[in-house]
Amino acid sequence: EFIKLMWLVTVLCCLCSSAASSLWHMNDFIKAVEQLEDGNPQLAPLAVLRSLRGAAGLNDAFIQHFLGNASSGGLEMDASLSDYMGKAVRHRVTEDGREQGVALTSDGTTVALKPLLLGIEAGFLSKTKGHVVGLYQLTLAKDLGLSFKHVHRSPLSPRLGPDGCWDNVTSPKVFTLSGSPSLITTAQVNGGMDGVILGMEIFVQSGHPLKLSSLLKAYYCHRLENEGLDVVQHPISPQRREKFRELIVPPLLARQVVRSINLRRRLKGHPKMQVKEKKQLMAVVNKGMKEFVFQYMNCPAIIPRCAWDAEPYRGTPTLLSLPLSFMYIHHTSTPSQPCLTFEQCAADMRSMQRFHQEDRGWDDIGYSFVAGSDGYIYEGRGWHWQGAHTYGHNSRGYGVAFIGDYSSRLPSQHSMGLVRDQLASCAVGGGRLVGNFTLQGHRQVVNTLCPGDAFYKEIQGWEHFGVWDSVTSSGHYVDT
């Protein structure tokens, strides 16, 4: 009989449903790993990982070059569990745009398990050898290289992404991509980043190695305290992009991409590339890496509308004329408390949308984007739809709200950094805000206390903070 636990219990306690279930949540996978470990207590984490790799058939020449041959290693696994593991780890995208071999995590993001587990296995193997073995090639470099080369041959194909939507975030069974797939989806990038982070964590840690399930729990089954990410002591999944940035410099990853392409050629028996071909390859890789760095390292992760279960826009959205010149900062006031989990932030988003649509009669949630204290930005009306956030100025700028009441306290440093440093630069780099845009508090242009006294005082020290000139109807910087 399958066990089906409520989402809240899953998030807070990291309890999971039966391994034989078809629900593709990371917690289900962790529970299955625990069952393997409990049934095979004599096996070290590296042996468990090799057995999982064998069950999924991940044993091609490229993987074997770094990790060796996958084998059961004496691990006992019944047929149903083996079938579950194989389906969970094998990655593919179907013709109708469904991505398989991915899992929904408790923070609302989706992760491909193959690059995650290959990175962790590389970390354990690296620790035994005393040097890093194949970590970057197995997690990201190979797939980035395949995608970059494919786009070079087929210029109309997407180079990276996309993300997608689950049929149900409480009982996730089907993940459908939101656009035409590249050869490395966002879930693969997430899994690759996590594989690098956890692989390096294993490599540098001292003492007895953690069990695989314990390692995954510590990273994915976190519970934030009131200070949010400001006081977290060990890597957790909402820190994915910032931790990855700390470990990887783009030129290093670009070199690993080229090495992966060369290794695949050599393993297939192809001759070495000539000088001209090498230069062409480097140009292709550098172009692709520029897009990768912008999309996945410079920009913050944004939880899409489908993930927080948004209601449809009522009517026809008004498209913004980009780039815009302003960013308006708000606090929500109600909800008055910061949200620290995906579940709570998503519920707050639905509550605000319901209030804006039902009570105020608006077409949608008013804000362009909303910052939670769980480590993520939430998509409201997004980059292209005109919002209803700053009366008389909605066509001029984006409205970004922080969940909570900040009359007498500040949002977390992490959430402020997401908006101030990452969302703003992402908007400029993507051509959505002008480079010399003006940042203002809601109260500067509308008669309101928003974004709260404490928070308004804080943003006056932010870069791009400016004042509104009622004579010229424009903003300008205040030199801080």
Side-chain angles (χ1 to χ4, degrees):
E1 182 181 1
F2 299 152
I3 302 171
K4 192 174 181 181
L5 301 176
M6 294 297 291
W7 175 264
L8 178 60
V9 177
T10 304
V11 171
L12 298 184
C13 303
C14 207
L15 298 176
C16 312
S17 60
S18 167
S21 170
S22 295
L23 301 181
W24 300 116
H25 196 284
M26 181 63 76
N27 296 339
D28 295 271
F29 180 74
I30 294 173
K31 183 62 176 178
V33 171
E34 282 185 311
Q35 291 182 13
L36 280 179
E37 293 169 335
D38 292 345
N40 300 269
Q42 77 284 0
L43 292 185
L46 188 56
V48 173
L49 284 156
R50 282 177 174 162
S51 299
L52 291 176
R53 181 157 55 92
L58 305 180
N59 206 30
D60 60 38
F62 187 89
I63 294 174
Q64 284 194 45
H65 175 81
F66 296 106
L67 301 180
N69 188 37
S71 63
S72 64
L75 183 144
E76 296 181 7
M77 190 184 329
D78 63 45
S80 62
L81 191 54
S82 178
D83 180 64
Y84 170 84
M85 287 298 190
K87 290 179 179 178
V89 178
R90 281 193 296 270
H91 182 269
R92 67 185 289 259
V93 176
T94 65
E95 291 185 358
D96 59 352
R98 295 185 177 189
E99 189 172 9
Q100 300 173 350
V102 297
L104 175 65
T105 70
S106 294
D107 68 7
T109 60
T110 299
V111 171
L113 291 169
K114 174 183 172 181
L116 166 66
L117 295 179
L118 290 177
I120 295 174
E121 185 175 345
F124 278 113
L125 183 62
S126 299
K127 193 165 186 68
T128 65
K129 292 183 175 293
H131 60 90
V132 177
V133 179
L135 181 60
Y136 309 112
Q137 293 96 326
L138 291 165
T139 52
L140 280 171
K142 176 190 173 185
D143 289 332
L144 286 173
L146 290 173
S147 187
F148 295 165
K149 288 187 66 178
H150 176 72
V151 172
H152 181 64
R153 294 191 297 265
S154 305
L156 296 181
S157 301
R159 185 176 281 109
L160 299 165
D163 204 344
C165 299
W166 286 96
D167 56 336
N168 188 314
V169 294
T170 304
S171 304
K173 296 180 180 179
V174 178
F175 187 69
T176 304
L177 294 173
S178 56
S180 300
S182 71
L183 295 185
I184 181 164
T185 64
T186 294
Q188 287 176 280
V189 172
N190 289 341
M193 287 183 171
D194 290 351
V196 169
I197 294 165
L198 293 177
M200 285 301 298
E201 185 76 4
I202 293 162
F203 179 63
V204 302
Q205 73 180 1
S206 58
H208 189 72
L210 289 172
K211 293 196 302 183
L212 175 59
S213 60
S214 299
L215 183 74
L216 294 174
K217 278 185 179 181
Y219 188 73
Y220 291 111
C221 298
H222 48 270
R223 181 176 183 178
L224 296 176
E225 302 299 331
N226 291 336
E227 297 84 355
L229 289 167
D230 293 350
V231 296
V232 172
Q233 298 297 315
H234 62 84
I236 60 175
S237 55
Q239 298 172 313
R240 175 180 296 122
R241 296 193 182 193
E242 63 194 75
K243 292 299 180 184
F244 186 76
R245 285 195 302 269
E246 292 174 5
L247 293 171
I248 291 290
V249 292
L252 168 63
L253 186 54
R255 288 195 296 271
Q256 298 295 342
V257 171
V258 173
R259 288 176 183 173
S260 296
I261 293 171
N262 287 332
L263 176 59
R264 289 186 70 251
R265 286 175 58 94
R266 180 161 60 83
L267 292 173
K268 291 182 177 182
H270 295 164
K272 289 185 177 181
M273 285 186 285
Q274 300 299 314
V275 174
K276 182 179 179 181
E277 192 177 3
K278 287 182 179 179
K279 289 183 178 180
Q280 291 175 337
L281 175 62
M282 279 305 305
V284 169
V285 170
N286 287 335
K287 183 177 181 180
M289 280 302 304
K290 184 177 181 180
E291 184 175 334
F292 174 83
V293 168
F294 173 74
Q295 187 169 334
Y296 292 107
M297 296 178 70
N298 294 347
C299 289
I302 297 175
I303 302 295
R305 291 171 62 92
C306 62
W308 59 266
D309 200 20
E311 291 294 322
Y313 190 100
R314 295 179 177 178
T316 303
T318 299
L319 294 179
L320 292 164
S321 179
L322 305 181
L324 304 181
S325 298
F326 293 87
M327 177 181 285
Y328 302 109
I329 301 297
H330 301 247
H331 72 167
T332 61
S333 184
T334 303
S336 62
Q337 297 302 311
C339 61
L340 297 168
T341 66
F342 163 68
E343 183 192 36
Q344 185 57 56
C345 293
D348 287 346
M349 291 295 292
R350 293 191 298 271
S351 175
M352 289 186 288
Q353 185 189 43
R354 189 162 50 248
F355 173 70
H356 288 173
Q357 288 184 321
E358 301 297 335
D359 291 43
R360 292 193 169 176
W362 298 349
D363 296 326
D364 197 3
I365 188 171
Y367 307 118
S368 307
F369 296 97
V370 178
S373 293
D374 62 336
Y376 290 102
I377 303 289
Y378 286 74
E379 181 185 27
R381 299 205 189 186
W383 295 118
H384 300 288
W385 295 353
Q386 180 175 305
H389 46 78
T390 312
Y391 185 74
H393 302 266
N394 293 315
S395 65
R396 301 173 182 268
Y398 293 111
V400 182
F402 288 72
I403 293 179
D405 185 328
Y406 298 109
S407 300
S408 57
R409 62 176 175 177
L410 292 176
S412 69
Q413 292 298 318
H414 187 275
S415 63
M416 289 192 290
L418 280 180
V419 173
R420 179 189 62 230
D421 304 327
Q422 295 181 46
L423 186 68
S425 64
C426 180
V428 172
R432 291 143 180 168
L433 276 178
V434 296
N436 62 340
F437 75 93
T438 301
L439 181 143
Q440 296 182 315
H442 187 195
R443 64 173 61 184
Q444 290 177 260
V445 290
V446 175
N447 184 20
T448 176
L449 296 176
C450 179
D453 290 345
F455 195 17
Y456 179 62
K457 182 178 179 181
E458 163 70 20
I459 68 171
Q460 291 178 60
W462 289 11
E463 185 181 4
H464 290 279
F465 179 80
V467 297
W468 176 255
D469 189 328
S470 59
V471 176
T472 62
S473 295
S474 64
H476 60 272
Y477 288 116
V478 173
D479 187 0
T480 57

